[in-house]
Amino acid sequence: GENVEQHPSTLSVQEGDSAVIKCTYSDSASNYFPWYKQELGKRPQLIIDIRSNVGEKKDQRIAVTLNKTAKHFSLHITETQPEDSAVYFCAARGPLSGGYNKLIFGAGTRLAVHP
Amino acid sequence: DAGVIQSPRHEVTEMGQEVTLRCKPISGHDYLFWYRQTMMRGLELLIYFNNNVPIDDSGMPEDRFSAKMPNASFSTLKIQPSEPRDSAVYFCASRAGGSTDTQYFGPGTRLTVL
């Protein structure tokens, strides 16, 4: 089955710096890679996702890159702000057309942005 | 849209008691997922339903856990008897059918078993 590894487990940056979180997956059939942000005591919320037919996707200060050959994908946050402080989870899933419905989550990265 | 609704938001019970967690998915969503989140094990998928039918319950930890979805707008996760190691946050999530990828989480139920 699919296995997703996420690094680092904790990340501390100064406000305005960039933050990068990396994930690797094991199943070459995986084709959907979402990133969720979870603030303390709140639910995980989708912030960006990417499908395997593209290599990069951006949304304002957030970007995700995907390397299918190496089976890894990364979240990039630029110009970090204190409100970016949260736990970030990556996930992977195979094609819906192939009957894949389960998201396999990484262990999470606790990001702290210091003013 | 109200999003995924879960109740109760907090539950404190004593070991051995029955616990029932409830979930109302987003209207029109065909898939419903139950997750458990702990510091040690992260986000674990327990079971998921498609059109009210349980598809994969391989994540259910043991026979003390059971889940039902009697109709498209309601699901329950029951623990009987509860144990202290069941203490966790339980999330329900739903997703539309077809080619829609996005999964939406509910606010969660924080369960404490004393």
Side-chain angles (χ1 to χ4, degrees):
Chain A
E2 175 66 280
N3 182 51
V4 177
E5 295 191 356
Q6 183 171 348
H7 300 280
S9 57
T10 60
L11 181 59
S12 182
V13 300
Q14 291 295 124
E15 183 177 359
D17 288 350
S18 294
V20 180
I21 303 170
K22 298 180 180 181
C23 290
T24 60
Y25 60 98
S26 60
D27 190 347
S28 57
S30 290
N31 72 343
Y32 174 64
F33 307 93
W35 285 88
Y36 283 82
K37 175 184 180 182
Q38 186 178 26
E39 297 177 356
L40 188 63
K42 301 289 183 64
R43 75 189 78 188
Q45 290 194 297
L46 179 72
I47 55 171
I48 194 168
D49 57 12
I50 192 169
R51 291 163 184 78
S52 60
N53 57 344
V54 297
E56 184 175 4
K57 183 177 179 181
K58 289 184 179 180
D59 183 3
Q60 299 182 5
R61 296 186 297 109
I62 295 173
V64 57
T65 58
L66 171 65
N67 184 326
K68 288 173 56 180
T69 302
K71 289 192 281 189
H72 66 70
F73 56 112
S74 301
L75 178 71
H76 305 254
I77 306 174
T78 58
E79 302 173 20
T80 53
Q81 301 168 2
E83 51 265 40
D84 294 329
S85 297
V87 178
Y88 291 81
F89 293 94
C90 64
R93 194 206 66 216
L96 294 174
S97 59
Y100 292 83
N101 286 295
K102 301 196 292 187
L103 286 176
I104 307 302
F105 283 88
T109 296
R110 185 174 299 278
L111 173 65
V113 180
H114 301 286
Chain B
D1 194 325
V4 178
I5 298 172
Q6 291 187 247
S7 64
R9 295 293 308 278
H10 302 273
E11 178 79 33
V12 180
T13 191
E14 294 189 346
M15 182 174 62
Q17 296 298 305
E18 177 179 295
V19 175
T20 300
L21 312 181
R22 297 171 176 80
C23 175
K24 176 179 169 57
I26 293 173
S27 177
H29 280 195
D30 294 339
Y31 289 85
L32 183 140
F33 304 84
W34 281 102
Y35 291 88
R36 178 172 66 176
Q37 185 175 40
T38 62
M39 288 295 293
M40 292 298 296
R41 301 176 67 89
L43 264 170
E44 302 175 273
L45 178 66
L46 301 177
I47 185 172
Y48 81 90
F49 296 82
N50 179 23
N51 291 324
N52 314 336
V53 177
I55 302 300
D56 186 340
D57 65 354
S58 59
M60 295 287 261
E62 49 198 275
D63 292 346
R64 297 184 298 106
F65 286 69
S66 62
K68 295 181 179 180
M69 192 165 185
N71 57 63
S73 59
F74 184 66
S75 177
T76 60
L77 178 67
K78 185 176 294 186
I79 309 173
Q80 165 64 15
S82 58
E83 297 182 2
R85 59 191 168 124
D86 301 329
S87 297
V89 180
Y90 291 81
F91 287 102
C92 176
S94 71
R95 197 191 87 216
S99 59
T100 305
D101 287 313
T102 307
Q103 194 173 117
Y104 298 90
F105 282 80
T109 296
R110 181 173 295 278
L111 173 65
T112 303
V113 183
L114 302 174

